[in-house]
Amino acid sequence: MQSWRRRKSLWLALSASWLLLVLLGGFSLLRLALPPRPQPGASQGWPRWLDAELLQSFSQPRELPEDTASPPQAPHGGSCNWEACFDTSKCRGDGLKVFVYPAVGPISETHRRILASIEGSRFHTFSPAGACLLLLLSLDAQTGECSSMPLQWNRGRNHLVLRLYPAACPRTFQLGQAMVAEASPTVDSFRPGFDVALPFLPEAHPLRGGAPGQLRQHSPQPGVALLALEEERGGWRTADTGSSACPWDGRCEQDPGPGQTQHQETLPNATFCLISGHRPEAASRFLQALQVLAALQEMSPARVLALRQQTQFLWDAYFSSVEKVIHTTLEVIQDRIFGTSAHPSLLWNSPPGALLALSTFSTSPQDFPFYHLQQGSRPEGRFSALIWVAPPGQPPLKLIQAVAGSQHCAQILVLWSNERPLPSRWPETAVPLTVIDGHRKVSDRFYPYSTIRTDAILSLDARSSLSTSEVDFAFLVWQSFPERMVGFLTLSHFWDEAHGGWGYTAERTNEFSMVLTTAAFYHRYYHTLFTHSLPKALRTLADEAPTCVDVLMNFIVAAVTKLPPIKVPYGKQRQEAAPLAPGGPGPRSKPQAPAPDCINQLAAAFGHMPLLSSCLRLDPVLFKDPVSVQRKKYRSLEKP
Amino acid sequence: MSCASVPGGGLRHPLRCRKPWDEECEEEAVCVIMCASVKYNIRGPALIPRMKTKHRIYYITLFSIVLLGLIATGMFQFWPHSIESSNDWNVEKRSVRDVPVVRLPADSPIPERGDLSCRMHTCFDVYRCGFNPKNKIKVYIYALKKYVDDFGVSVSNTISREYNELLMAISDSDYYTDDINRACLFVPSIDVLNQNTLRIKETAQALAQLSRWDRGSNHLLFNMLPGGPPDYNTALDVPRDRALLAGGGFSTWTYRQGYDVSIPVYSPLSAEVDLPEKGPGPRQYFLLSSQVGLHPEYREDLEALQVKHGESVLVLDKCTNLSEGVLSVRKRCHKHQVFDYPQVLQEATFCVVLRGARLGQAVLSDVLQAGCVPVVIADSYILPFSEVLDWKRASVVVPEEKMSDVYSILQSIPQRQIEEMQRQARWFWEAYFQSIKAIALATLQIINDRIYPYAAISYEEWNDPPVVKWGSVSNPLFLPLIPPQSQGFTAIVLTYDRVESLFRVITEVSKVPSLSKLLVVWNNQNKNPPEDSLWPKIRVPLKVVRTAENKLSNRFFPYDEIETEAVLAIDDDIIMLTSDELQFGYEVWREFPDRLVGYPGRLHLWDHEMNKWKYESEWTNEVSMVLTGAAFYHKYFNYLYTYKMPGDIKNWVDAHMNCEDIAMNFLVANVTGKAVIKVTPRKKFKCPECTAIDGLSLDQTHMVERSECINKFASVFGTMPLKVVEHRADPVLYKDDFPEKLKSFPNIGSL
């Protein structure tokens, strides 16, 4: 009985297993028997041809020689391009020289500003014969007068017609081969690579300087509206991040309603502004704006941050004054003339911009002080000392020894700017010493001598006194900040209420905005800027008032970097005994603030006050710390 | 247990013993299963011996058959079905000769000629592409057909090898869709790469009968050899209405800026010849010309250059007396000297690319491959992909009328620029010229960038060679901007339960003039923060944020409550910093808003014995990190730390309850390429690294852990981003002989 029951259970188990086997196996067999149809959703792709190997190439080698059959012929078309319509042979030698046709009759304020900005530029020439670009300010709508064809017109060859107001005058003559620079050109008439598109210049646009960008904060604040839409009559509507329910291809039927939008008269505090090329018809435009909004919300914060900063850079570098707009136009044309030695794209598109990074200095970004990070390069590990010997002038033997003692010193240049004859003997130094005979002008100190072989210059006055360790430490600091000036003694500027102007002082204060160039490290590029970019009038100003040259150099560097200089520690005792202030040979000449007018003249010439104040000094890490002197690398800096 | 060794600071609360416990549980579970099986084993054999021998054999055989069957079925079920899953089943394998034939009646419609005024916003329907989260256009490819005229004569070769490759590349890419209704760009399979091989009118008719032709809008044609004798138009002569043309050899007159795409003329040598990249350094020839089909006028000009400049200029021509069997395409000759082509291109610094009857020349590709800088002499030629590629960095364009001056123009280029151009030329070839696939994908990417401009690839991504991309840094805070002092800073105090110390920190920090808000991050889930009335009364808003989990990364979360750019991270036990020191730290941050500005400094060193990085907290002359127990930094770095930290660093920090400050130092240095700024002299920080317990051994464990962090992070970042400097920031008049009461920050370094 028990065995039967056991057998029964065994049979049961067996049959259950069979059933399972049949079921599972059946499915598998079924699957083998019926090959699967490609599922409708699955991607088919381009077929792999069995005979793909046999396909012929699109071009048979035999075909190529037929090219010879036809004579080379420049393709012809209706309009101009750069090669066909601009004669660069006139620009050889001096590069771009611009002649401006004098204005006829009364001119508008904008017109006057444009003329002034061209005449103040390094491109300007008074002779039409020597010019390679002839500039015609055209068709001034304000006066209602239309200019007639100028004398040297020559079918417009090498001419630039600057149009401030679109087609205000009927065309009195054919433009021919002339380039046109105007605001909002139409896509049909604009010739890329030949014409120049300008921003619209308002009446009140300042001649030079110009207001800086209004961005005070890198990143958008939480709660600020995302998008503002330009409306008719110059108003703005804003939308915040919540109101983006519209899908891209759907139609937004609902009116956004007053709750989600605000109407503003002034420029709104929004992250994006939607500017319509056509006349905005408020309602439908707004719906489109919402679609844009959806796309904008996809954008990563990193990209928004980058875009915000780039707007500010572009505004400040190329748009904020009439002078910048005009100089940018000329720089664009000069780049076309230069060809291979034009500005690389990086120089146009990152601070400080192409107007301040001269392509005549170099076309390799790593030669400039600004682009080391983007290039993955590092500033050079050595410097050149440039010692200026002004009258009465003794050979600065001690100074030469101290500087030559630095392991980073590559060469010493002595600029002999003195009535006395050159000394025949100079001290033996480990590094090469070169003597340059100067012309006794202060501006000589900042000439880009070809003998300077390093990026870093240590500018010195023969009466300066520095120790080797001071030089070493300051140079290391400069390597961290190659675009700034690193100096030992400082000046600070201030607004003088009493005189209603700027003033500056050498007195010790809690802040400073300039370093003295009689002992400072800076990049050799600033010599090029000083000599080739600065208006000649300012260099003359420096020659006439030598104390002004420090201020001028600091102005240049601050205008380029938009950063204050850096101060490093300087031996206190000597500081009291022999001030580094230029032109003060006396042992205790009160740090003077002579020619207070200098700073005001410069501020006027720059169009704004570029100087910025700093409240810090960079010291060695263990400077005056309560720790054994043996541990300190720059212990001599602490000696009383 | 390892939990005991976690330093017992307020933040690093023990919460780590989870893992060992889990392991134990697993072991137990395994044991249960094993015991169970043992039980059955005991029962099983006892059952069978009691049966009769005959039956037993019968049963055993039956049983094993069933068992074997079951095993076999099971295996079949779970075996990877190699035949079914391979691609060959989905992708048809057919012959090109078997494609369907389409007869084109002689009077079937012909599209309009190309519309020269077409722009993306007039002739292209972007709404077809829709708004999609991936920002990728969808491309459809028409099926291959063979077109014949009324007499059965074929209109063109069905398809060339290159066009087949091109369509295959599109089909394999992310752009492809086989759903014609979802597509926004249509690519006909009618091969128009070479105009010479097709009948123009009939090809146009074939285009017009495509199912979605609609005047050609949103259709893309690829053509590399346009025009034909005698005048060689610079764009495909096939009437194509609004279709986009990706053409090789456009001139400024035929190219519709922002609509057409200028592409290279593919050189078959790219695939045939392997030319390894040649490093910088002098090359034998300064200028070389290798084209064979040059017009006599050009050849005369070039030979004049050779006469004038001697050995440094080499003008090659085709060989006239080659023996049978030698491939003439791969040889060039100068007088009786025979050179291998394209190898000879690697011997020259500059290589001339002159136009023939056509503007686009395949030799451009060979020249780039050889890393020779192309000197393009072809007026009005639109260089390939010039919409995105910066050809100034890789080539020299010389007007035809300046040909005689070429040598002096090239000589004026500095050596450094030449080397960059050579590198750039090679990179352009590798990325955009070397295969039909590269050409096809670059074309689609350009169109994609136009349709989704906000997601477009940047100039740098298109143009910077990998070596520059790796070495360079694009600082996210690149605009030189000194934030206004009035903005102030937000202090963030991370705390667990040290309320007394926390209140002291709050009181001290609230004395700093530029503080604008105080945020307490309450990291203890088991305990409520003290009642409102118990908190110190301070002059700025104080906000308490409660966290969901006790994680160190909570300190670096970009809370909406942070309304200032500047953030001061401060531990709940840092009570030794004076108000002057904190205010000065904020002023320093304003001058360096893209850096970490902190108080205690630390250094990383390379341990030559152990061959790895070491953490150093001694009194050194150098500094490469600051502790975030007291540091100012930009709020943006909180966003980066929370969402963009590379690898598993964030989880690693949270799991180890340590090194969040080192991670932040790595992150900021990596993204800005800049060093930290340590402010003010060193002072005795009580437990600066949160090892509250005295004792050397714990201190050493701590140092070992921190060193481990540096090594771990360096391996995740793939580099050591930290920068070492020898300076710190002090007030201008610090320790100067100057009346203390006149100093802005007199109270520095005291305590």
Side-chain angles (χ1 to χ4, degrees):
Chain A
M1 191 65 193
Q2 223 181 10
S3 89
W4 181 84
R5 200 178 285 165
R6 232 176 252 150
R7 222 175 285 172
K8 193 177 152 193
S9 62
L10 214 75
W11 272 116
L12 214 73
L14 251 174
S15 38
S17 317
W18 268 111
L19 208 73
L20 206 73
L21 191 77
V22 167
L23 267 172
L24 284 174
F27 265 123
S28 308
L29 280 175
L30 209 72
R31 226 169 31 179
L32 265 184
L34 302 169
R37 302 259 121 210
Q39 284 168 7
S43 178
Q44 285 248 44
W46 183 251
R48 264 59 176 168
W49 306 107
L50 286 168
D51 46 2
E53 292 297 313
L54 301 176
L55 293 176
Q56 290 199 317
S57 175
F58 78 108
S59 74
Q60 297 303 311
R62 217 161 279 115
E63 265 181 44
L64 295 176
E66 46 94 22
D67 275 1
T68 45
S70 139
Q73 233 176 34
H76 284 291
S79 60
C80 269
N81 69 6
W82 179 258
E83 287 92 3
C85 296
F86 195 91
D87 180 11
T88 50
S89 62
K90 284 188 169 181
C91 310
R92 269 182 219 155
D94 291 338
L96 180 65
K97 282 290 164 211
V98 184
F99 169 80
V100 195
Y101 288 107
V104 189
I107 53 171
S108 73
E109 181 58 22
T110 315
H111 200 139
R112 193 194 60 75
R113 285 189 182 145
I114 290 171
L115 284 179
S117 68
I118 297 167
E119 278 162 12
S121 84
R122 64 197 146 91
F123 302 117
H124 184 247
T125 176
F126 286 106
S127 115
C132 104
L133 181 73
L134 294 99
L135 196 143
L136 179 69
L137 264 166
S138 122
L139 319 177
D140 206 323
Q142 300 299 298
T143 55
E145 278 187 35
C146 296
S147 30
S148 54
M149 192 186 296
L151 284 175
Q152 282 88 6
W153 183 243
N154 187 22
R155 281 179 295 123
R157 203 163 171 79
N158 285 29
H159 275 68
L160 174 69
V161 177
L162 201 65
R163 261 201 221 151
L164 291 181
Y165 304 96
C169 261
R171 280 197 190 158
T172 48
F173 52 90
Q174 286 295 313
L175 284 171
Q177 299 183 335
M179 294 181 278
V180 178
E182 63 180 331
S184 320
T186 59
V187 74
D188 300 321
S189 64
F190 186 74
R191 296 161 292 184
F194 191 67
D195 291 333
V196 182
L198 296 182
F200 176 72
L201 290 178
E203 274 289 292
H205 214 51
L207 172 59
R208 54 173 70 93
Q214 294 183 359
L215 190 67
R216 286 278 155 268
Q217 194 167 351
H218 282 101
S219 47
Q221 278 170 301
V224 163
L226 186 71
L227 183 75
L229 171 74
E230 189 189 17
E231 279 192 329
E232 264 176 307
R233 300 179 306 277
W236 292 87
R237 272 185 155 192
T238 58
D240 60 23
T241 46
S243 54
S244 66
C246 289
W248 177 257
D249 46 3
R251 287 268 178 269
C252 299
E253 298 296 343
Q254 281 179 313
D255 190 82
Q260 280 172 317
T261 65
Q262 295 169 334
H263 184 87
Q264 289 176 322
E265 287 297 322
T266 54
L267 205 61
N269 188 11
T271 307
F272 294 98
C273 292
L274 186 74
I275 294 153
S276 161
H278 313 282
R279 202 146 274 288
E281 309 132 35
S284 69
R285 288 283 152 200
F286 194 84
L287 298 178
Q288 279 183 15
L290 289 181
Q291 295 184 333
V292 175
L293 196 63
L296 293 178
Q297 282 179 339
E298 294 285 313
M299 217 179 257
S300 75
R303 182 128 174 76
V304 176
L305 185 64
L307 289 174
R308 277 169 68 94
Q309 293 176 79
Q310 192 70 5
T311 61
Q312 298 294 290
F313 155 64
L314 292 178
W315 162 260
D316 199 55
Y318 306 117
F319 291 89
S320 67
S321 70
V322 173
E323 190 177 73
K324 280 175 189 166
V325 171
I326 298 299
H327 287 190
T328 305
T329 309
L330 298 179
E331 203 76 44
V332 165
I333 293 170
Q334 182 180 252
D335 262 13
R336 292 179 189 162
I337 295 167
F338 277 175
T340 54
S341 47
H343 289 98
S345 158
L346 178 71
L347 268 57
W348 275 106
N349 293 297
S350 58
L355 301 186
L356 295 170
L358 305 181
S359 62
T360 46
F361 173 71
S362 170
T363 47
S364 293
Q366 59 262 52
D367 286 342
F368 290 87
F370 318 113
Y371 313 106
H372 284 300
L373 285 171
Q374 286 114 307
Q375 291 290 299
S377 57
R378 285 171 56 82
E380 255 182 303
R382 290 152 72 72
F383 69 86
S384 306
L386 179 61
I387 306 174
W388 185 53
V389 189
Q394 293 292 331
L397 305 181
K398 255 181 85 178
L399 184 63
I400 288 174
Q401 292 298 355
V403 171
S406 166
Q407 53 177 321
H408 305 291
C409 183
Q411 58 175 159
I412 294 175
L413 300 152
V414 176
L415 183 59
W416 194 258
S417 200
N418 209 322
E419 302 252 308
R420 293 186 179 199
L422 277 171
S424 54
R425 286 174 55 88
W426 291 90
E428 288 283 316
T429 51
V431 294
L433 188 146
T434 319
V435 182
I436 305 167
D437 210 353
H439 301 291
R440 300 196 54 209
K441 280 201 298 190
V442 177
S443 52
D444 282 353
R445 289 175 53 201
F446 303 106
Y447 185 81
Y449 297 102
S450 58
T451 39
I452 301 177
R453 302 238 171 260
T454 60
D455 283 347
I457 294 175
L458 170 59
S459 171
L460 291 166
D461 182 288
R463 286 159 300 177
S464 316
S465 108
L466 285 175
S467 72
T468 305
S469 254
E470 279 166 339
V471 170
D472 277 343
F473 178 71
F475 179 67
L476 282 185
V477 170
W478 176 84
Q479 282 188 299
S480 286
F481 308 96
E483 76 281 28
R484 304 204 203 184
M485 289 220 274
V486 174
F488 297 89
L489 285 178
T490 58
L491 303 171
S492 49
H493 77 290
F494 55 88
W495 180 255
D496 191 344
E497 287 288 350
H499 297 92
W502 296 101
Y504 67 97
T505 171
E507 271 173 47
R508 285 201 287 165
T509 52
N510 284 296
E511 290 188 337
F512 68 93
S513 53
M514 294 176 266
V515 294
L516 295 187
T517 58
T518 48
F521 278 100
Y522 53 80
H523 198 282
R524 77 186 163 102
Y525 174 63
Y526 293 119
H527 277 200
T528 302
L529 265 189
F530 182 95
T531 308
H532 296 308
S533 165
L534 218 56
K536 198 163 179 292
L538 294 186
R539 282 200 302 281
T540 317
L541 181 73
D543 282 333
E544 284 162 4
T547 47
C548 196
V549 82
D550 279 317
V551 184
L552 180 54
M553 262 320 254
N554 279 280
F555 261 66
I556 294 174
V557 180
V560 172
T561 61
K562 312 208 172 351
L563 294 168
I566 282 170
K567 174 177 163 54
V568 287
Y570 182 66
K572 190 177 54 182
Q573 288 300 310
R574 281 170 287 125
Q575 187 177 333
E576 299 293 338
L580 286 176
R588 183 133 181 105
S589 72
K590 178 83 183 145
Q592 72 280 61
D597 222 35
C598 153
I599 193 167
N600 285 310
Q601 281 181 38
L602 291 181
F606 276 74
H608 67 128
M609 166 50 74
L611 296 179
L612 291 160
S613 293
S614 168
C615 64
L616 60 92
R617 181 182 74 201
L618 291 182
D619 293 335
V621 172
L622 297 178
F623 187 69
K624 297 195 177 172
D625 273 358
V627 67
S628 159
V629 180
Q630 295 308 312
R631 278 179 177 260
K632 298 185 181 178
K633 186 172 167 191
Y634 302 100
R635 56 192 84 117
S636 60
L637 291 192
E638 299 180 17
K639 279 182 191 151
Chain B
M1 288 293 286
S2 56
C3 335
S5 65
V6 175
L11 309 174
R12 286 140 184 98
H13 197 72
L15 260 185
R16 270 196 358 185
C17 27
R18 260 262 148 74
K19 208 176 166 194
W21 186 80
D22 281 346
E23 275 167 23
E24 271 173 28
C25 297
E26 247 168 63
E27 266 171 42
E28 207 174 299
V30 170
C31 167
V32 169
I33 293 164
M34 275 177 55
C35 301
S37 64
V38 167
K39 266 183 213 159
Y40 291 121
N41 283 350
I42 294 165
R43 256 194 205 166
L47 179 90
I48 296 167
R50 272 177 228 160
M51 288 181 235
K52 283 177 194 162
T53 336
K54 199 178 91 189
H55 283 148
R56 202 164 63 190
I57 294 169
Y58 176 71
Y59 278 129
I60 290 175
T61 326
L62 206 79
F63 213 94
S64 14
I65 289 173
V66 172
L67 209 74
L68 267 171
L70 264 172
I71 291 171
T73 324
M75 278 182 54
F76 194 83
Q77 285 285 321
F78 298 107
W79 203 258
H81 300 288
S82 57
I83 320 165
E84 289 168 55
S85 55
S86 91
N87 287 333
D88 301 25
W89 280 59
N90 290 329
V91 180
E92 294 166 84
K93 271 212 162 187
R94 296 182 290 165
S95 165
V96 174
R97 272 164 299 182
D98 299 342
V99 298
V101 177
V102 177
R103 185 179 293 270
L104 298 166
D107 58 349
S108 68
I110 305 175
E112 299 273 312
R113 288 202 59 82
D115 183 353
L116 262 179
S117 68
C118 264
R119 295 290 179 272
M120 279 318 253
H121 60 273
T122 55
C123 295
F124 193 94
D125 180 10
V126 288
Y127 292 98
R128 258 184 212 272
C129 308
F131 170 66
N132 74 59
K134 279 194 196 147
N135 298 322
K136 274 237 184 278
I137 53 171
K138 289 277 166 218
V139 183
Y140 176 82
I141 306 175
Y142 287 99
L144 187 62
K145 305 241 169 82
K146 183 183 170 71
Y147 295 93
V148 294
D149 61 14
D150 274 337
F151 308 101
V153 181
S154 68
V155 166
S156 65
N157 296 338
T158 313
I159 191 165
S160 66
R161 188 168 67 221
E162 284 81 6
Y163 201 55
N164 182 49
E165 268 175 50
L166 193 147
L167 296 180
M168 203 147 69
I170 296 177
S171 152
D172 290 346
S173 74
D174 288 349
Y175 298 107
Y176 180 72
T177 180
D178 62 354
D179 182 355
I180 198 165
N181 294 314
R182 290 179 58 209
C184 95
L185 191 65
F186 304 89
V187 180
S189 55
I190 302 165
D191 181 354
V192 293
L193 279 183
N194 184 351
Q195 187 181 320
N196 286 3
T197 62
L198 43 93
R199 293 160 66 187
I200 289 173
K201 180 187 151 212
E202 288 78 4
T203 308
Q205 287 173 326
L207 288 173
Q209 55 77 50
L210 291 170
S211 60
R212 300 285 166 119
W213 178 251
D214 184 23
R215 298 192 61 199
S217 54
N218 294 36
H219 279 64
L220 174 65
L221 305 179
F222 284 89
N223 167 256
M224 288 182 180
L225 299 175
D231 54 350
Y232 288 95
N233 192 1
T234 54
L236 182 68
D237 282 318
V238 176
R240 54 186 189 279
D241 211 339
R242 296 174 152 188
L244 291 165
L245 183 61
F250 275 119
S251 74
T252 43
W253 322 113
T254 50
Y255 180 64
R256 294 169 292 181
Q257 181 97 21
Y259 192 66
D260 290 326
V261 182
S262 175
I263 61 170
V265 179
Y266 175 68
S267 165
L269 292 183
S270 291
E272 277 175 37
V273 190
D274 179 38
L275 285 183
E277 184 168 4
K278 196 176 175 182
R283 298 188 175 198
Q284 192 178 349
Y285 305 105
F286 183 68
L287 182 63
L288 182 141
S289 161
S290 64
Q291 285 163 282
V292 288
L294 288 181
H295 190 266
E297 270 178 42
Y298 289 153
R299 190 164 289 283
E300 273 171 33
D301 286 350
L302 287 171
E303 274 160 4
L305 282 175
Q306 189 165 21
V307 170
K308 195 170 167 197
H309 300 286
E311 296 280 285
S312 61
V313 179
L314 181 63
V315 181
L316 298 171
D317 202 349
K318 60 173 170 282
C319 300
T320 46
N321 49 355
L322 281 181
S323 54
E324 282 293 311
V326 178
L327 210 55
S328 63
V329 191
R330 302 282 304 277
K331 295 286 175 197
R332 293 286 186 276
C333 287
H334 174 63
K335 290 176 183 160
H336 297 294
Q337 227 180 333
V338 184
F339 297 86
D340 285 328
Y341 184 84
Q343 285 83 353
V344 66
L345 297 173
Q346 286 200 314
E347 304 303 320
T349 306
F350 292 101
C351 294
V352 176
V353 178
L354 261 167
R355 72 193 183 86
R358 294 195 176 95
L359 282 173
Q361 297 286 320
V363 69
L364 176 62
S365 176
D366 301 336
V367 165
L368 294 175
Q369 184 183 13
C372 186
V373 180
V375 180
V376 181
I377 308 178
D379 284 359
S380 82
Y381 176 41
I382 305 286
L383 280 156
F385 302 131
S386 56
E387 184 170 338
V388 290
L389 298 191
D390 186 350
W391 280 97
K392 267 197 289 183
R393 288 170 68 174
S395 70
V396 183
V397 177
V398 178
E400 284 169 31
E401 60 166 39
K402 295 272 181 64
M403 205 159 137
S404 49
D405 302 337
V406 145
Y407 198 87
S408 57
I409 291 173
L410 299 178
Q411 266 188 324
S412 69
I413 303 173
Q415 186 57 32
R416 190 187 236 173
Q417 196 180 345
I418 291 174
E419 280 169 19
E420 277 169 26
M421 286 173 137
Q422 287 174 334
R423 188 181 65 182
Q424 195 73 16
R426 173 76 186 191
W427 150 247
F428 277 2
W429 178 79
E430 281 171 7
Y432 311 111
F433 278 71
Q434 71 164 319
S435 64
I436 286 284
K437 182 181 175 182
I439 296 171
L441 295 185
T443 308
L444 293 184
Q445 183 68 53
I446 287 175
I447 297 170
N448 200 73
D449 282 2
R450 292 181 193 157
I451 292 167
Y452 303 107
Y454 44 86
I457 287 189
S458 69
Y459 169 90
E460 287 78 14
E461 281 172 273
W462 280 108
N463 288 288
D464 283 350
V467 55
V468 173
K469 280 184 193 137
W470 271 97
S472 70
V473 172
S474 59
N475 186 357
L477 304 169
F478 62 84
L479 186 72
L481 188 71
I482 297 183
Q485 195 192 39
S486 56
Q487 218 184 84
F489 66 90
T490 307
I492 303 185
V493 195
L494 184 68
T495 190
Y496 190 77
D497 57 3
R498 288 189 293 211
V499 172
E500 193 183 327
S501 161
L502 168 71
F503 284 181
R504 272 187 72 188
V505 170
I506 291 177
T507 315
E508 286 304 313
V509 173
S510 71
K511 292 175 189 159
V512 184
S514 284
L515 177 75
S516 77
K517 191 190 251 185
L518 216 151
L519 208 63
V520 174
V521 179
W522 189 263
N523 226 3
N524 188 342
Q525 289 78 41
N526 303 320
K527 212 161 122 184
N528 287 335
E531 273 178 45
D532 285 354
S533 58
L534 298 177
W535 290 81
K537 299 283 169 285
I538 57 172
R539 55 168 190 90
V540 296
L542 188 152
K543 222 164 169 164
V544 182
V545 180
R546 300 195 62 180
T547 60
E549 227 181 314
N550 175 23
K551 288 197 295 189
L552 273 183
S553 48
N554 290 339
R555 114 170 312 173
F556 294 136
F557 188 82
Y559 298 101
D560 272 349
E561 285 82 357
I562 309 173
E563 286 174 291
T564 60
E565 282 185 282
V567 168
L568 167 67
I570 188 159
D571 280 349
D572 61 358
D573 56 353
I574 303 293
I575 45 178
M576 61 298 283
L577 286 174
T578 66
S579 169
D580 268 354
E581 281 165 337
L582 287 172
Q583 179 66 25
F584 176 67
Y586 172 64
E587 299 290 347
V588 173
W589 175 84
R590 287 180 52 228
E591 286 191 36
F592 305 99
D594 54 349
R595 303 190 190 222
L596 275 174
V597 174
Y599 296 84
R602 292 294 180 264
L603 185 66
H604 72 286
L605 290 170
W606 183 253
D607 187 337
H608 287 282
E609 280 172 28
M610 308 289 286
N611 241 350
K612 55 183 195 177
W613 296 107
K614 201 177 111 193
Y615 180 78
E616 181 62 79
S617 68
E618 281 297 309
W619 295 73
T620 55
N621 286 290
E622 294 167 325
V623 60
S624 64
M625 291 174 271
V626 292
L627 302 183
T628 51
F632 287 93
Y633 60 86
H634 197 283
K635 180 191 171 181
Y636 180 69
F637 296 131
N638 272 356
Y639 161 78
L640 284 187
Y641 187 98
T642 308
Y643 301 109
K644 302 280 161 177
M645 182 64 93
D648 58 340
I649 290 182
K650 203 171 147 239
N651 292 333
W652 201 84
V653 164
D654 284 336
H656 287 72
M657 276 284 176
N658 201 349
C659 299
E660 87 286 8
D661 49 354
I662 298 181
M664 188 59 137
N665 274 279
F666 266 74
L667 181 79
V668 176
N670 188 55
V671 81
T672 63
K674 294 183 179 179
V676 296
I677 302 275
K678 177 198 161 18
V679 276
T680 67
R682 180 161 178 147
K683 54 168 72 178
K684 203 69 187 156
F685 273 82
K686 191 189 106 199
C687 148
E689 337 235 11
C690 293
T691 48
I693 306 159
D694 289 329
L696 195 69
S697 67
L698 190 60
D699 211 34
Q700 271 174 352
T701 326
H702 173 75
M703 299 304 280
V704 169
E705 270 189 17
R706 306 277 283 176
S707 295
E708 263 176 34
C709 291
I710 295 184
N711 285 296
K712 156 88 186 167
F713 298 165
S715 78
V716 173
F717 277 85
T719 176
M720 168 47 78
L722 298 178
K723 301 272 181 291
V724 180
V725 289
E726 303 191 16
H727 51 75
R728 72 162 199 244
D730 288 324
V732 176
L733 300 173
Y734 173 70
K735 296 252 168 161
D736 267 6
D737 184 14
F738 198 76
E740 288 294 315
K741 62 180 179 200
L742 292 180
K743 290 184 181 177
S744 301
F745 307 100
N747 209 355
I748 297 271
S750 51
L751 279 182

